[in-house]
């Protein structure tokens, strides 16, 4: 079964907030469960909370059914409620089928109470930001509350299904030894998918007549429901050594966790040099046409535009030629770091030549430092990057290494102080920073990048994380025997190594890089939810 219609509100909000599901997936609970090594007591504690969730869901569906005014909608909600009540009635036997026994005494977690209280308050018409409705009488008020209720249920069901499917994809379908395979299969079943989809379709239908303000309430309820469930998964009492989050695994008393990150195309959605060029073009239109000899003379706006277009076109064409030239050598069967390093000297030469061409063109001459600072406030970052990279720690701990413009009285001369022109210079800066930490055994390094210029640093770091869709990086990596492995599946495999007190260690220069699809994955891996 597919998800709700692409244009429906349930689908819209899931797409908007789907990164939150990553924070649930990367919790110690799900990483351990996916590996099959989760402590049975932890799993049974988790399952025992299902009793409280099922009771709350059944009551919420009952209240939503009372509020729906269409007989077809009432019937659909009634069927969903019956499924929940049937699961509640057969939970003991279902858990035994999974190979476990429910505990006799079921204690409710604070995180569980927050989820169920939120759901039942919503189903009763007590919604934050809305006036308390008291007795819900008018048909429209009732429909609105029914829609609100389904907006608090829908994301929870989709969250379970999505995570279960991602874990199921990592399992060998012919291997029945995985301790939690039956639980995973249950949430991937057609029956559960149908329930999730029907809830989303009902939410879509009941939301059709709502106002923009009321749809905004649904959006907030949907988001809060996801956040509460992420917190619920994070609160599960995992009392075993885990691979996540990295900042918890690495004891700061014993050593250092050093994070490195590229900027253009890794943090940003655009190359920052193009922003500087656009700024030069725009500000040239406002500059004094009668420039005195004492001032730095600038090209006209039209000339700047033409010059930059020529530079951009040449860069793209010659960059592809450079990559093809590197790829013309015979591909290797196994990881070959020295061969890659030698090959990237061609890219280093290319980048130096292009930077020199930009300087000679004069396109970056005459920029005001204050204008640059203002323009930087409008940089477009990759989704989640600003939250993950800049809002989660002490900004004073950040050290920036980059090429720099040369200024005379806050006006750029067009010259560049070249500090990081090539992959080799990036690597040198990387190594220089690590010299500050005398004991390499106690220093764990993470490098995040997304372009061919990052390859050497990615490989030299203990953990190299690739983000973005650079085909050039993948092609070069493949050519020199680099393996690209999804980060989550790698963490699951490493979690298996921790069974029975064994340990693992991240190692540099293994030829393996870890791929992610979003900054949310990086945040969840390093910092947790």
């Amino acid at each position: 079964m597919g998800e709700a219609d692409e244009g429906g509100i349930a689908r819209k909000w899931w797409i908007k907030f789907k990164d939150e599901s990553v924070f649930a997936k990367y919790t110690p609970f799900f990483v351990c469960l996916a590996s099959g090594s989760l402590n049975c007591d932890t799993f049974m504690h988790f399952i025992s909370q299902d009793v409280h969730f099922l009771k709350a869901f059944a009551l919420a569906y009952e209240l939503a059914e009372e509020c729906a005014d269409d007989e077809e909608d009432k019937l659909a909600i009634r069927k969903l409620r019956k499924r929940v009540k049937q699961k509640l009635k057969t939970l003991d036997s279902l858990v035994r089928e999974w190979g476990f026994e429910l505990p006799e005494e079921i204690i409710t977690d604070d995180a569980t109470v927050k989820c169920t209280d939120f759901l039942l308050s919503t189903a009763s018409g007590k919604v934050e930001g809305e006036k308390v409705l008291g007795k819900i009488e008018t048909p429209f008020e009732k429909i609105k509350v029914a829609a609100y209720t389904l907006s608090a249920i829908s994301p929870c069901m989709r969250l379970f299904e999505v995570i279960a499917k991602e874990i199921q994809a990592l399992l060998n379908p012919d291997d029945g030894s995985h301790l939690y395979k039956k639980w995973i299969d249950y949430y991937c079943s057609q029956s559960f998918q149908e329930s999730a989809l029907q809830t989303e379709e009902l939410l879509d239908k009941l939301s059709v007549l709502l106002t923009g303000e009321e749809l905004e309430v649904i959006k907030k309820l949907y988001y809060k429901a996801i956040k509460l469930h992420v917190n619920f998964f994070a609160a599960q009492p995992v009392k075993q050594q885990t691979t996540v989050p990295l900042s918890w695994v690495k004891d700061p008393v014993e050593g250092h966790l050093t994070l490195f990150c590229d900027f253009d195309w890794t943090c940003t959605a655009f190359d920052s040099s193009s922003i500087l060029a656009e700024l030069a073009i725009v500000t040239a239109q406002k500059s004094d046409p009668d420039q005195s000899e004492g001032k730095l003379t600038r090209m006209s706006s039209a000339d700047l535009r033409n010059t930059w277009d020529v530079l951009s076109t040449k860069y793209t064409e010659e960059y592809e030629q450079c990559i093809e030239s590197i790829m013309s050598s015979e591909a290797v069967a196994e990881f070959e770091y020295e061969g890659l390093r030698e090959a990237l000297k061609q890219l280093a030469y290319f980048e130096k030549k292009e930077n020199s061409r930009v300087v000679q063109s004069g396109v970056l001459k005459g920029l005001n430092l204050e204008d640059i600072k203002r323009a930087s406030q409008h940089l477009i970052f990759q989704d989640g990057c600003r939250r993950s990279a800049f809002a989660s720690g002490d900004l004073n701990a950040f050290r920036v290494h980059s090429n720099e413009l040369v200024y005379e009285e806050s006006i750029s001369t067009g010259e560049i102080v070249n500090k990081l022109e090539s992959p080799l210079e990036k690597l040198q800066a990387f190594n220089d920073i690590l010299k500050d930490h005398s004991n390499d055994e106690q220093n764990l390094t993470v490098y995040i990048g997304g372009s061919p210029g990052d390859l050497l640093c990615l490989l030299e770091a203990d953990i190299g994380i690739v983000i973005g869709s650079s085909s050039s990086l993948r092609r070069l990596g493949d050519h020199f025997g680099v393996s690209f492995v999804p980060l989550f599946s790698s963490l699951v495999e490493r979690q298996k190594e921790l069974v029975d007190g064994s340990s693992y260690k991240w190692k540099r220069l293994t030829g393996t890089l870890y791929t992610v699809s979003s900054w949310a994955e990086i945040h969840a891996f390093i910092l947790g939810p």
Side-chain angles (χ1 to χ4, degrees):
M1 294 287 287
E3 292 182 9
D5 182 77
E6 190 173 340
I9 196 167
R11 173 69 173 163
K12 177 182 178 181
W13 296 139
W14 175 258
I15 290 173
K16 182 172 181 62
F17 301 126
K18 66 180 179 181
D19 275 354
E20 296 301 327
S21 70
V22 170
F23 289 95
K25 185 176 72 171
Y26 273 81
T27 56
F29 175 80
F30 273 124
V31 171
C32 290
L33 185 144
S35 73
S37 67
L38 181 68
N39 182 281
C40 292
D41 290 341
T42 301
F43 182 71
M44 285 318 305
H45 176 84
F46 167 76
I47 290 298
S48 71
Q49 302 305 298
D50 227 9
V51 173
H52 304 289
F53 277 108
L54 290 172
K55 287 179 179 178
F57 271 53
L59 180 54
Y61 276 131
E62 183 179 342
L63 293 171
E65 182 187 340
E66 291 174 2
C67 287
D69 71 336
D70 181 273
E71 283 305 316
E72 185 180 333
D73 294 343
K74 284 181 178 289
L75 179 61
I77 295 172
R78 192 176 307 135
K79 285 181 178 179
L80 289 168
R81 179 166 60 89
K82 283 182 178 179
R83 284 187 182 180
V84 171
K85 297 196 80 168
Q86 180 63 22
K87 184 182 176 185
L88 187 58
K89 188 186 297 184
T90 60
L91 188 61
D92 272 333
S93 59
L94 186 61
V95 170
R96 281 195 293 272
E97 186 182 318
W98 293 339
F100 302 93
E101 289 283 346
L102 273 175
E104 291 184 9
E105 184 180 2
I106 298 174
I107 301 171
T108 312
D109 278 348
D110 287 344
T112 304
V113 172
K114 287 180 180 178
C115 288
T116 55
D117 282 358
F118 162 71
L119 174 58
L120 295 178
S121 291
T122 302
S124 301
K126 300 170 185 175
V127 176
E128 187 177 341
E130 285 256 300
K131 66 178 182 180
V132 178
L133 296 177
K135 189 174 181 181
I136 306 167
E137 295 180 343
T138 69
F140 182 75
E141 283 178 341
K142 289 182 176 181
I143 292 172
K144 180 170 70 171
V145 171
Y148 287 172
T149 303
L150 292 173
S151 71
I153 294 175
S154 171
C156 310
M157 300 184 72
R158 185 57 65 192
L159 187 62
F160 267 97
E161 186 235 359
V162 165
I163 293 175
K165 277 187 172 181
E166 290 197 37
I167 293 175
Q168 188 185 58
L170 303 179
L171 307 183
N172 181 346
D174 300 323
D175 181 9
S177 65
H178 193 289
L179 200 55
Y180 304 109
K181 185 176 185 301
K182 288 183 178 178
W183 181 89
I184 295 164
D185 289 344
Y186 172 83
Y187 284 101
C188 294
S189 66
Q190 183 175 351
S191 173
F192 186 80
Q193 288 183 65
E194 285 175 352
S195 294
L197 184 61
Q198 286 166 9
T199 303
E200 290 174 336
E201 288 173 341
L202 279 166
L203 173 57
D204 291 342
K205 185 176 178 183
L206 292 170
S207 301
V208 167
L209 297 179
L210 299 188
T211 66
E213 186 177 335
E214 289 157 351
L215 290 175
E216 188 65 23
V217 172
I218 283 185
K219 173 185 171 182
K220 291 177 181 177
L221 291 170
Y222 194 103
Y223 179 67
K224 186 170 182 177
I226 293 180
K227 293 290 288 183
L228 285 171
H229 268 70
V230 170
N231 292 339
F232 165 72
F233 295 129
Q236 294 311 296
V238 178
K239 298 175 181 177
Q240 63 193 90
Q241 188 180 359
T242 65
T243 57
V244 290
L246 190 64
S247 57
W248 294 4
V249 174
K250 187 64 181 174
D251 187 344
V253 175
E254 295 180 357
H256 299 274
L257 174 60
T258 309
L259 306 181
F260 298 83
C261 183
D262 184 42
F263 190 70
D264 282 343
W265 298 109
T266 298
C267 290
T268 65
F270 299 98
D271 185 344
S272 56
S273 63
S274 63
I275 295 173
L276 287 175
E278 190 62 32
L279 179 63
I281 293 165
V282 170
T283 55
Q285 296 172 342
K286 304 174 184 177
S287 62
D288 183 2
D290 302 319
Q291 302 178 79
S292 66
E293 291 297 320
K295 293 183 179 179
L296 289 167
T297 57
R298 302 179 67 181
M299 287 186 278
S300 68
S301 177
D303 287 342
L304 280 169
R305 175 77 67 188
N306 291 334
T307 301
W308 183 251
D309 287 345
V310 170
L311 288 171
S312 299
T313 301
K314 280 187 177 180
Y315 180 91
T316 302
E317 291 174 352
E318 294 179 13
Y319 176 82
E320 286 302 321
Q321 290 169 9
C322 179
I323 298 298
E324 290 302 325
S325 175
I326 295 173
M327 297 287 292
S328 64
S329 63
E330 186 176 349
V332 301
E334 297 181 355
F335 173 52
E336 190 178 300
Y337 177 78
E338 289 304 326
L340 174 61
R341 180 170 176 152
E342 188 65 27
L344 286 175
K345 288 181 180 178
Q346 292 185 52
L347 187 59
Y349 173 76
F350 164 77
E351 293 289 2
K352 288 176 183 290
K353 182 182 71 173
E354 291 302 312
N355 282 344
S356 177
R357 187 178 284 168
V358 170
V359 170
Q360 291 171 12
S361 73
V363 292
L364 300 181
K365 182 189 293 185
L367 287 171
N368 186 291
L369 181 58
E370 291 304 313
D371 287 340
I372 294 174
K373 289 178 180 179
R374 280 192 290 271
S376 71
Q377 299 301 311
H378 301 288
L379 275 173
I380 299 175
F381 285 86
Q382 301 280 4
D383 286 345
C385 175
R386 195 184 283 270
R387 166 185 174 183
S388 301
F390 304 113
S392 304
D394 179 6
L395 287 176
N396 293 323
F398 284 90
R399 292 168 59 181
V400 178
H401 300 259
S402 67
N403 298 326
E404 297 176 7
L405 292 175
V406 177
Y407 297 93
E408 289 182 4
E409 297 180 354
S410 298
I411 303 298
S412 65
T413 66
E415 297 292 321
I416 299 175
V417 178
N418 295 309
K419 296 182 178 180
L420 292 177
E421 284 189 287
S422 72
L424 298 173
E425 288 174 349
K426 274 189 178 181
L427 180 60
Q428 184 61 54
F430 175 90
N431 289 328
D432 288 345
I433 292 168
L434 293 185
K435 287 178 183 177
D436 293 342
H437 307 299
S438 57
N439 192 338
D440 288 341
E441 291 297 316
Q442 295 180 342
N443 185 45
L444 186 66
T445 56
V446 179
Y447 189 97
I448 305 160
S451 68
D454 296 315
L455 268 170
L456 296 180
C457 291
L458 285 164
L459 291 162
E460 288 273 5
D462 296 304
I463 306 171
I465 299 177
V466 176
I467 188 169
S469 55
S470 170
S471 60
S472 300
L473 183 148
R474 290 296 190 106
R475 287 167 62 205
L476 282 176
D478 290 339
H479 193 77
F480 289 93
V482 176
S483 300
F484 295 92
V485 180
L487 178 61
F488 181 72
S489 63
S490 173
L491 290 170
V492 171
E493 289 302 311
R494 285 176 175 271
Q495 187 63 44
K496 294 176 184 178
E497 298 174 24
L498 293 178
V499 179
D500 299 325
S502 58
S503 61
Y504 73 92
K505 184 178 179 182
W506 296 96
K507 297 178 182 177
R508 52 189 287 275
L509 293 177
T510 61
T512 299
L513 299 179
Y514 306 98
T515 60
V516 296
S517 60
S518 68
W519 268 94
E521 282 196 74
I522 297 171
H523 187 158
F525 167 51
I526 296 175
L527 297 174

